[in-house]
Amino acid sequence: MANAVKRIGVLTSGGDAPGMNAAIRSVVRACTYMGIECVGIRRGYNGLINGDIIEMGARSVDGIIRKGGTMLYTARCKEMMTEEGLQKAADTCKYLGIDGLICCGGDGTLSETVNGMIVGGHKTKIGYIPSGTTNYFANGIGLSSDVIKAADDIVYGKPKAFDIGRFNEREFMYIASFGAFTQSSYGTPQNLKNTFGHFAYILSGIKELAE
């Protein structure tokens, strides 16, 4: 990846998770070492759509590893669920010359990234740092759950190709669902996921059954 990518964008999306600042620091320092430009995208996909971008270098990440949360902030973005929002995000990458995008988050974060790239017709390489509640996709393909190693693998490793499916006018990489309980994975509150982990989805499913 290092031979092909000249400018990387890094963002954090979804809920805060332990290790996000450490992952950002690792990405920025690795990029500096490899001579790759790095920009931070603030507030997740809201920032990508609206161009909330900051240049990042080794000094910009000094001391952040001791702080909680994420220095780039994080937010959920309903606009990324629309084709217009996906197109805006992809166009921002093209306009800013971002030819590698690193997303820190869970399966939903990765799904939004993939959909944006496909809708926009771009071939930007995607680096994924799994830091969600379940990380099914990452576990399925053997990505490291250690955010530092995952960040190093993105910068120093080799790109891999994956098949993409299409269901109900949206792309998916791992699972497409329909029928009962499908809203549980999307509607489970972040605070429940932070507290109970995977069990939060079970609680939401039970609640949906009762309704």
Side-chain angles (χ1 to χ4, degrees), residues 14-17 76 132-133 187-196 200-201:
D16 288 355
R76 298 194 180 278
T133 306
T188 302
Q190 187 63 47
N191 63 323
L192 283 182
K193 291 191 287 185
N194 291 343
T195 303
F196 298 108
Y201 294 109

Side-chain angles (χ1 to χ4, degrees), residues 6-37:
K6 296 180 179 179
R7 197 174 207 216
I8 278 178
V10 57
L11 63 82
T12 53
S13 180
D16 288 355
M20 280 188 167
N21 272 336
I24 294 169
R25 177 177 178 267
S26 181
V27 169
V28 172
R29 289 195 168 187
C31 285
T32 301
Y33 177 77
M34 297 292 293
I36 301 172
E37 289 184 58

